[in-house]
Amino acid sequence: MMKQQFRIGVGTVSLLNIVVVFLFAIVAVLALVSARADGRLTEKTMETTAAYYQAEGAVQKKLAEIDASLQRGEDPSAQIEGVTKTTDRYLLLESMGNGNSLLVEFIEEGLTYRIVRYYVKAAENWQPQDEPALWDGQ
Amino acid sequence: MQRKNLILPELLVNVLFFALAAAILVQVFALAYSEGLKNRVKTEAMLRVQNVVEEVKADPCSAETVLLAAGFQTGHGRIFCSYDAEWNAAANGRYEISLELRQTPAETGHLFEIAVACTDLELEETMASLSTSVYQRGAG
């Protein structure tokens, strides 16, 4: 009985090598792309956080002015920029850049104010930066 | 016979090709790792800066006492704390978080101006910084 000898043909190693290098290249590129995307997200988060605290600082300075204005018995909406009066409350709007704003709603209580809402108002006309092309199901 | 003779040169070419590809790909992996590390450090720096800002905002009058108890030091008109590469508090560390707190009187209270920054002392680069203000009615 003849034993069949196992042999690697010419080109098999090359083919295997190309496949392995190709797979490694894909993993390396994916790792780099992912790290870069994380970097962009980190920068964006840092910018947004800095803008929020900047706007909050401006709001606090205006609240000091509002408090002084109410102490004097004056209407803050007539004197301080960004303050508007509705039927039952005042609104203080401070821009955070990128379309978002910090909105403070407060009511007059005697000669001072009481904050009833303090939140970030997202831009109404917000659009995603890149609209992904999604499969429409057809 | 001719085919057998081709296997050795083919193997040599493959080894060279693999070595070249590995040299390039290892660099790409190293770049991805260093970018990831940079992002992690930046995020950590931002979170720590934000933490200090929130601590001061909670009670600006006693913020200095609270931070000194947490390991911060005072000097040159600011409060600071340095950290090693693993973010453990250490003297002459790699990163430094510094706080500048200014109190200005307002008509009906006090306005506290807060500026916190995290610096990489090795690269002499500000990694994260935040500035804000807090108004306290009638505070002294």
Side-chain angles (χ1 to χ4, degrees), chain B residues 42-55:
Chain B
K42 271 189 178 179
T43 307
E44 181 77 33
M46 193 51 156
L47 285 174
R48 283 179 185 264
V49 164
Q50 211 175 337
N51 191 30
V52 173
V53 170
E54 289 299 329
E55 205 139 0

Side-chain angles (χ1 to χ4, degrees), chain A residues 14 43 46 53 67 72, chain B residues 10 42 54 107 127 132 135:
Chain A
S14 298
E43 287 295 331
M46 286 173 84
Y53 280 97
D67 209 13
R72 291 192 298 265
Chain B
E10 189 201 4
K42 271 189 178 179
E54 289 299 329
E107 218 174 300
M127 291 190 297
T132 191
Y135 166 63

Side-chain angles (χ1 to χ4, degrees), chain A residues 85-133:
Chain A
K85 194 177 183 180
T86 61
T87 47
D88 62 335
R89 60 187 60 185
Y90 290 97
L91 301 177
L92 167 56
L93 196 70
E94 186 64 40
S95 171
M96 282 172 56
N98 64 25
N100 295 338
S101 309
L102 190 59
L103 189 67
V104 183
E105 294 181 16
F106 61 95
I107 51 172
E108 203 176 332
E109 247 183 18
L111 290 176
T112 186
Y113 65 85
R114 184 165 64 83
I115 292 170
V116 285
R117 286 184 82 189
Y118 197 107
Y119 60 99
V120 174
K121 189 172 177 275
E124 279 163 15
N125 56 352
W126 179 82
Q127 287 289 320
Q129 283 178 341
D130 297 307
E131 284 187 32

